[in-house]
Amino acid sequence: MSEICKCAEAESDVLKKAGIDTALLEPTLKEYADVKGSLITILQHAQDLYGYLPVELLNYIALRTGIKASKILGVATFYAQFRLEPIGKYLIMICQGTACHVNGSEAVQAAIEDELGIKDGQTTSDGLFSIKSVACLGCCSLSPVMMINGEAYGTLTPDKARAIINDIKAKEADGK
C-alpha cells in the first residue's frame, strides 16, 4: 500500500472520530482540487457545509489538493470570513465602523456582552449565541447596527439590543 493511501486512511479515521462527513465536500473537491487559485473557494464551501473549518478538515483538504497544510491554515486564519471554531445558532455581528462607532456601537456591544455573559469572539455555553465585532456591515444609515444571522437591526441603543437578544431567547425557550 502506498504512503498516500496510508495517510488517507489515517486521516479518514481522524475525521470519522471528529464526526466530519467528507462525502459532503467531495463534489467541491472534485471540481476545484486541481484548479490553481481555488483554495478560498474550497474553504468557503467547506465552511458553508460544516459551519466552521475544523483542523482535521483542513488537513484532509491538504491531502486531497496537494496544498501544504500550513498554507491552508495560513489562508484560513488570515481572512476574517473563516472560522476555526464552531459558532452559536445565532451569530451576532456588531458593526464597529466609523458611523456606528460615533453613534454608540461600543455601548451596544457592552450591553450585548453583559446580557449574554460572553465577549467578542466567544459563544455562550448553551451554543445559542456568538458575538463577532466587525469593521463594517454596510448599513451606515442605520448606525449603530448589528446583524443576526443575516438580518440587520439598526438605530440601536443598549436597551434595544438587550430587548432583541431577550426576544430571541424567549422564542428559543418556546421552541420556535
Side-chain angles (χ1 to χ4, degrees):
M1 180 180 286
S2 76
E3 289 299 313
I4 293 174
C5 290
K6 288 179 186 174
C7 287
E9 284 181 11
E11 195 61 40
S12 178
D13 290 343
V14 169
L15 291 162
K16 285 179 186 171
K17 286 179 185 173
I20 300 168
D21 180 5
T22 57
L24 300 171
L25 190 58
E26 280 309 308
T28 299
L29 290 171
K30 284 180 182 171
E31 184 175 352
Y32 295 105
D34 297 323
V35 178
K36 288 209 179 285
S38 63
L39 178 58
I40 290 175
T41 301
I42 293 169
L43 294 176
Q44 288 170 330
H45 284 245
Q47 184 166 279
D48 287 346
L49 290 169
Y50 305 102
Y52 72 111
L53 298 171
V55 172
E56 299 88 352
L57 185 63
L58 297 179
N59 289 331
Y60 178 74
I61 292 169
L63 186 66
R64 291 281 278 114
T65 62
I67 300 170
K68 290 184 179 182
S70 59
K71 179 178 181 174
I72 294 173
L73 184 61
V75 169
T77 56
F78 179 79
Y79 292 102
Q81 68 176 300
F82 296 122
R83 299 178 296 275
L84 300 181
E85 298 292 329
I87 58 168
K89 182 176 180 180
Y90 298 95
L91 175 59
I92 304 167
M93 294 190 296
I94 305 167
C95 183
Q96 296 300 339
T98 303
C100 289
H101 179 77
V102 299
N103 285 306
S105 62
E106 286 181 343
V108 169
Q109 182 162 340
I112 294 169
E113 289 176 351
D114 179 62
E115 190 64 39
L116 296 174
I118 59 173
K119 298 284 183 194
D120 183 28
Q122 295 181 331
T123 300
T124 56
S125 60
D126 60 7
L128 274 182
F129 296 96
S130 294
I131 299 173
K132 182 169 178 71
S133 190
V134 297
C136 185
L137 289 172
C139 305
C140 300
S141 64
L142 300 175
S143 67
V145 65
M146 71 177 169
M147 193 170 281
I148 302 177
N149 292 359
E151 184 176 343
Y153 297 87
T155 59
L156 294 173
T157 63
D159 288 340
K160 188 174 175 183
R162 284 179 189 273
I164 292 165
I165 299 304
N166 286 321
D167 185 48
I168 293 170
K169 285 180 181 179
K171 287 178 183 173
E172 281 294 321
D174 290 342
K176 294 180 182 174

